Amino acid sequence: MTRARVSMQELIAQRRRAGFVGRGAERAAFRTNFDLPPEDERHRFLFHVHGNAGVGKTFLVRELEQLAREKRALTAYLDESVDSLPEAMAAISRQLGAQGARFKELERLLAAHRERRHEAEAAALATLDTEAEGPSAGSMAVARAGLVGLGMVPGVGAFAGVLDAGQLAQGADRLRAGLSARLRTQEDVQLVLHPERVLTPVLLRELTDAAATAPWIVLFFDTYERTGPFLDGWLHETMTGDRHGTLPATVVVVTAGQRPFDTARWGAFADFMTDVPLGPFTEAEARGLLAAKGVVAEPVVEEVLRLTGGLPVLVSTLAEQRPTDPDDIGDPSATAVERFLRWEQDPVRRSAALVCALPRQLDLDVFRAAVDCDDREADALFAWLRALPFVVDRGDRLRYHDLVREAMLRMQRSRSPRGWAEQHRNLAGKFGAWRAEYESGRDASERWTDEKWRELRLAESYHLLCAQDRAALPGVLRDFTDACDTDDATAARWARVLLDAGRDGDTEPVARWGSELSRTLTEGGVPAALARLLSRADLDAPAQAHARVVRGTALRRLGALEEALREYDLAVGLGEALCTPENPAAPHSDLARAHRGRAYVRGELHDYEAAIDDLDRALALEPDSPSAHSVRGEYHRALHHGDAALRDLDRGIALDPAHHFAWASRGALHLTRGDLRAARADLDRSLELNPDYVWALVRRARVWRGLGDPARRLADLDRAVALQPDWPWGRCERGDALRNAGRVEEALRDYDHVLALDPDYASAHASRGAALAALGRHEEAVTALDTALRLHPAYTWALCRRAESHLALSSVDLALTDADRACELSPDDEHARAVRDRVRRDAG
């Protein structure tokens, strides 16, 4: 008879489960729930396990997961290793997929989300339409949601206090326009702004498909005190509402954290959930666990109970050593080795268990780096380590229970400070070597978007900080600036590594920085955290310049343009002081970026001359920057510097032929010059590169108007409105096209939509007046045109239209006043002169 192949991991798990004693009532309630159909009123859809650290929440959750699998359930387990809702969905998809379920559409969208998020950050920095007429009213409501959804502002609530509503709205408008210009479809925009709206319906549909292949699906959310802030609202909405679709009735959710559920949110769900509070083991449970391990001598049992206070992780650890005498257990203040490993006689194992407490998490590679042994011995030792009761096995990574790791770290740090530092220095060197090997041959500009590179850098930084390397704190704080430049989640991870290293290494300055940066990130976002970093008296000039550039960029993304301008001014001053002829080795990248950033802010403030001056300086430092050439060309175009604009746009296209913005801007320049054929060719090319670039679609619609092709004009505008329905300029342009095509009622609906978004959009009021006049509603037309001219008193076209409506109402004097004013403002305007001549004829 042949023995079936069983993995080492399966055998270890079986042995560990065989020793699981206690929590009988909790396990029984969970197991019984599978015997009740979802329609049964006694069936529960949610179990919430909660209690203080060390009471065995994770051990119980893992046991419940095994019980669920015995009932042939598909299961997924999540903990604090996920940092966002998309990451949580990815973990569910990956784990259920490994059990045979298919989540192909969700996986596709998650991959798209990751790609589009990076593109969105680039879009937020891109130069947007210079002819925009201010923010739409609708953006006022989405400003915060859009920015938070982008991950650019983790703490909008507090930081928003430094911005007025108009600034917030302008930031959102720029962001939305930039996204629509850079991303492919409206779905892509939503994937960045509101990923849960796109991903959740797909997750629910694919969970429904998976439910047809298994009797139950059980989702476990551990360490909920850390993941709850971004999961709890979504989980409540998904389980109790149908906004995104419905969950299969055979889904059971288990959450586990230190705090009870929020009754304000979940109170109405009480009849459908089971609250599972955990305290220390009862004396009977602790005695049962000890007896199962053969620890029955009463003096020994009493000493274990006294030392552990019934905390399951400690009871289990001491029981595993099977002490036979109270003296084997030692004093309550004994060291970690004496507390947890006293009964392990093998010095190699004892040493391995201690040194493996140093990394925050470990796999076999990290184990081999930490433990000095050959490969064959390493495999056996690693298998022994992962079977220890205080080691949490996550499959690909191991992690010590916090209580045990903290005690082991404290003992090693106090027993041998030099040895502590040397071990951490060795680990830092190993992670640094792995990082250097990984980044070799890769583009340096892509490092911060590479998750594997970030993990290696974080681990290296943690160990350098714990070793109290003198250069570690300044280096990690500089890395924190780059993390802020990446996204808020990455910034939070860098703040956390400071917090962890300061606590584990008992280094107060490091812990203080971790605490303060974490707090300011939460309360005020990246700008507030960088302001705190810049308060460091010992921050050198290059680090200050870099931080100010990054902070200026974050403020610009928010729409805080004046404050961003101040940061760029300071960055330019610092950079110019560093980059002198006497210091040719000084880095120029931050100075060039400061000039570019200041140029973009000045461009958004319509100070194009100053913006061009900044781009001149940026290009003197980095002459082959395609975006700087293209943006400078756009600013020259806005100032009607046609030849200079053409030179820059030609150069930008030559440097980056795939930059759709440059092609579109050059097409707009050709359109202004009346070269419709060249304009069409460039705009066609821009739209080949990005078919959903709405700015180019609207520009090409103007080309079709010039070419006398109303059908193609409307087709482009219909597509632009479909892609970005709340963009005032695009919808107003379509209204004009509809009005010129005689579809006046439809045009009015577009103008009304624009004015609902932005009541101060002068062009929409003027065009609406023209539409009303076309319908013979001249009194209403005059009212609309009055509003347009109040907003824009020198609006020649509106003056002409109002003159015509006054004439239709027999108000000849008013008509003549408007016509004369129009000709005064635009003496070369043939239409204005024709209107004046007609009014004079009718008057005379």
Side-chain angles (χ1 to χ4, degrees):
M1 181 176 176
T2 59
R3 183 184 299 274
R5 288 185 175 273
V6 180
S7 71
M8 180 188 299
Q9 288 81 358
E10 289 172 322
L11 289 174
I12 290 170
Q14 289 172 12
R15 292 181 188 177
R16 294 181 74 171
R17 288 196 62 245
F20 190 97
V21 176
R23 309 304 189 196
E26 291 85 353
R27 289 184 292 153
F30 186 75
R31 185 188 296 110
T32 301
N33 198 56
F34 292 112
D35 298 328
L36 302 171
E39 297 81 11
D40 193 308
E41 292 186 355
R42 295 168 295 171
H43 179 81
R44 294 295 179 260
F45 299 101
L46 175 64
F47 289 77
H48 181 56
V49 179
H50 59 93
N52 293 330
V55 297
K57 298 184 294 294
T58 295
F59 282 114
L60 177 59
V61 167
R62 285 303 199 182
E63 172 67 6
L64 299 184
E65 183 180 22
Q66 188 58 40
L67 292 175
R69 291 198 174 189
E70 290 174 0
K71 295 292 185 178
R72 296 184 297 116
L74 301 176
T75 68
Y77 171 87
L78 288 74
D79 57 17
E80 77 276 11
S81 60
V82 300
D83 290 319
S84 66
L85 186 52
E87 283 188 22
M89 294 194 204
I92 292 170
S93 169
R94 183 173 59 253
Q95 293 180 43
L96 296 186
Q99 298 164 59
R102 302 299 298 273
F103 287 78
K104 293 178 65 175
E105 179 63 10
L106 181 61
E107 289 171 2
R108 181 189 70 80
L109 287 172
L110 285 165
H113 165 72
R114 289 186 287 269
E115 293 173 7
R116 303 300 172 261
R117 183 184 173 99
H118 294 314
E119 292 178 28
E121 300 215 351
L125 294 174
T127 300
L128 305 179
D129 179 27
T130 59
E131 295 187 9
E133 297 189 23
S136 67
S139 68
M140 305 289 278
V142 304
R144 294 187 181 187
L147 293 167
V148 172
L150 270 174
M152 293 180 177
V153 193
V156 167
F159 183 71
V162 307
L163 303 172
D164 61 31
Q167 287 175 312
L168 280 172
Q170 287 172 3
D173 273 336
R174 293 185 194 95
L175 197 53
R176 291 175 65 200
L179 288 175
S180 290
R182 187 67 68 93
L183 302 181
R184 294 172 177 80
T185 65
Q186 191 63 23
E187 180 184 81
D188 287 343
V189 175
Q190 291 301 310
L191 268 175
V192 174
L193 289 173
H194 305 289
E196 75 284 356
R197 296 182 186 175
V198 180
L199 299 173
T200 306
V202 178
L203 172 67
L204 297 182
R205 287 198 300 272
E206 295 189 323
L207 281 173
T208 300
D209 292 340
T213 68
W216 301 98
I217 298 174
V218 187
L219 306 178
F220 295 88
F221 299 92
D222 202 358
T223 57
Y224 205 62
E225 68 275 5
R226 298 185 184 180
T227 59
F230 62 83
L231 280 177
D232 196 55
W234 171 78
L235 190 60
H236 179 269
E237 182 179 58
T238 301
M239 294 185 71
T240 64
D242 58 3
R243 177 186 176 190
H244 301 298
T246 57
L247 269 173
T250 53
V251 169
V252 176
V253 174
V254 179
T255 53
Q258 293 185 5
R259 294 181 290 274
F261 253 146
D262 178 3
T263 54
R265 173 173 284 163
W266 289 92
F269 200 65
D271 291 344
F272 307 94
M273 65 180 288
T274 295
D275 191 59
V276 186
L278 291 187
F281 273 163
T282 64
E283 182 175 335
E285 288 175 322
R287 285 179 176 275
L289 189 151
L290 290 168
K293 296 296 184 181
V295 182
V296 294
E298 187 58 27
V300 176
V301 171
E302 288 181 358
E303 185 66 2
V304 170
L305 293 175
R306 184 181 71 83
L307 283 175
T308 64
L311 281 178
V313 65
L314 302 185
V315 174
S316 177
T317 299
L318 293 182
E320 196 68 35
Q321 312 307 324
R322 296 173 172 81
T324 58
D325 187 278
D327 290 339
D328 290 339
I329 300 172
D331 186 83
S333 61
T335 66
V337 167
E338 300 306 316
R339 178 75 61 85
F340 303 120
L341 297 172
R342 183 169 183 172
W343 302 274
E344 179 52 66
Q345 299 303 311
D346 185 341
V348 174
R349 285 184 172 183
R350 290 161 61 96
S351 175
L354 276 173
V355 76
C356 286
L358 299 178
R360 293 194 294 176
Q361 56 184 9
L362 66 154
D363 55 18
L364 186 55
D365 289 333
V366 179
F367 178 89
R368 287 171 173 163
V371 179
D372 185 17
C373 61
D374 60 40
D375 287 350
R376 186 176 61 179
E377 189 178 11
D379 289 341
L381 274 174
F382 189 65
W384 166 80
L385 184 75
R386 76 188 307 161
L388 291 174
F390 54 78
V391 174
V392 179
D393 189 344
R394 293 175 173 165
D396 58 338
R397 304 283 175 90
L398 304 181
R399 179 175 178 175
Y400 282 28
H401 191 285
D402 288 343
L403 287 175
V404 178
R405 180 171 183 262
E406 181 184 351
M408 289 187 174
L409 293 179
R410 186 169 57 250
M411 184 278 294
Q412 295 180 83
R413 191 178 64 240
S414 60
R415 174 177 288 181
S416 175
R418 289 180 181 276
W420 161 274
E422 186 60 28
Q423 287 175 314
H424 277 292
R425 201 171 290 116
N426 289 339
L427 284 167
K430 196 65 178 178
F431 278 108
W434 288 337
R435 172 186 56 77
E437 178 185 4
Y438 181 75
E439 68 190 22
S440 177
R442 286 182 164 82
D443 190 337
S445 64
E446 297 176 358
R447 290 173 186 170
W448 281 95
T449 60
D450 189 313
E451 175 61 24
K452 184 175 180 180
W453 183 90
R454 292 199 302 256
E455 280 194 4
L456 293 169
R457 184 70 166 179
L458 274 170
E460 177 187 8
S461 300
Y462 170 80
H463 292 295
L464 285 173
L465 290 165
C466 286
Q468 298 186 17
D469 184 285
R470 293 183 62 182
L473 181 57
V476 174
L477 289 175
R478 182 174 177 85
D479 276 357
F480 176 75
T481 302
D482 287 319
C484 287
D485 207 18
T486 305
D487 56 53
D488 61 291
T490 304
R493 292 177 70 187
W494 248 261
R496 192 184 310 153
V497 86
L498 286 159
L499 199 60
D500 289 352
R503 179 198 63 227
D504 296 344
D506 195 25
T507 310
E508 192 275 336
V510 175
R512 184 177 69 251
W513 273 111
S515 175
E516 291 182 4
L517 293 177
S518 295
R519 174 180 56 78
T520 51
L521 270 174
T522 300
E523 294 176 355
V526 162
L530 288 173
R532 177 67 189 92
L533 182 64
L534 284 161
S535 71
R536 273 179 61 99
D538 60 342
L539 203 65
D540 63 25
Q544 287 186 51
H546 185 54
R548 291 205 181 277
V549 168
V550 174
R551 187 167 190 264
T553 300
L555 289 163
R556 178 174 175 261
R557 290 169 178 170
L558 268 172
L561 300 183
E562 295 296 341
E563 194 171 352
L565 198 58
R566 287 193 291 273
E567 287 295 336
Y568 286 129
D569 286 342
L570 290 167
V572 167
L574 287 164
E576 289 179 341
L578 289 168
C579 300
T580 62
E582 296 76 26
N583 188 17
H588 292 77
S589 58
D590 279 323
L591 179 56
R593 186 176 170 191
H595 278 301
R596 283 198 303 271
R598 190 166 70 176
Y600 298 156
V601 171
R602 286 172 164 172
E604 291 175 44
L605 293 171
H606 305 294
D607 187 0
Y608 299 121
E609 294 283 5
I612 288 170
D613 181 62
D614 263 322
L615 288 171
D616 289 344
R617 298 183 185 189
L619 284 164
L621 295 166
E622 294 181 352
D624 291 331
S625 169
S627 61
H629 279 289
S630 298
V631 172
R632 190 173 67 175
E634 172 64 13
Y635 292 161
H636 277 305
R637 186 187 72 83
L639 290 170
H640 308 292
H641 302 161
D643 292 340
L646 189 59
R647 283 194 300 271
D648 269 336
L649 291 166
D650 284 347
R651 179 64 176 153
I653 289 170
L655 288 168
D656 182 6
H659 193 194
H660 60 269
F661 168 84
W663 287 98
S665 183
R666 195 173 73 174
L669 175 63
H670 289 314
L671 175 61
T672 302
R673 292 179 153 193
D675 189 346
L676 298 181
R677 184 185 62 80
R680 177 186 168 184
D682 277 354
L683 289 162
D684 283 348
R685 180 59 181 148
S686 176
L687 288 162
E688 286 172 11
L689 293 167
N690 184 354
D692 299 326
Y693 189 6
V694 292
W695 193 86
L697 284 166
V698 176
R699 288 287 174 188
R700 193 170 66 178
R702 289 190 169 187
V703 173
W704 296 129
R705 181 183 67 187
L707 293 171
D709 194 333
R712 287 183 173 177
R713 178 189 181 192
L714 261 176
D716 274 350
L717 291 168
D718 283 343
R719 178 156 176 73
V721 169
L723 288 167
Q724 196 170 343
D726 293 338
W727 189 26
W729 186 46
R731 193 173 275 272
C732 194
E733 288 280 316
R734 190 179 70 169
D736 291 344
L738 289 166
R739 177 170 53 81
N740 290 337
R743 296 160 61 179
V744 182
E745 295 289 354
E746 294 174 71
L748 277 173
R749 286 196 289 272
D750 268 346
Y751 301 140
D752 288 343
H753 187 94
V754 170
L755 293 172
L757 295 169
D758 185 355
D760 293 333
Y761 200 111
S763 294
H765 283 292
S767 292
R768 185 171 179 273
L772 290 166
L775 294 172
R777 295 157 60 180
H778 291 288
E779 290 182 356
E780 294 175 72
V782 167
T783 300
L785 291 160
D786 285 346
T787 303
L789 287 161
R790 176 178 55 78
L791 293 166
H792 184 3
Y795 198 163
T796 302
W797 189 85
L799 282 165
C800 291
R801 291 293 183 174
R802 191 171 67 176
E804 291 171 334
S805 282
H806 279 316
L807 191 61
L809 293 169
S810 300
S811 300
V812 178
D813 290 343
L814 292 174
L816 189 57
T817 299
D818 278 346
D820 286 342
R821 176 62 177 154
C823 290
E824 178 186 338
L825 289 168
S826 303
D828 296 329
D829 189 318
E830 294 181 4
H831 177 65
R833 290 202 304 269
V835 170
R836 185 180 60 182
D837 291 346
R838 187 163 67 252
V839 172
R840 284 177 175 175
R841 283 197 306 271
D842 288 2

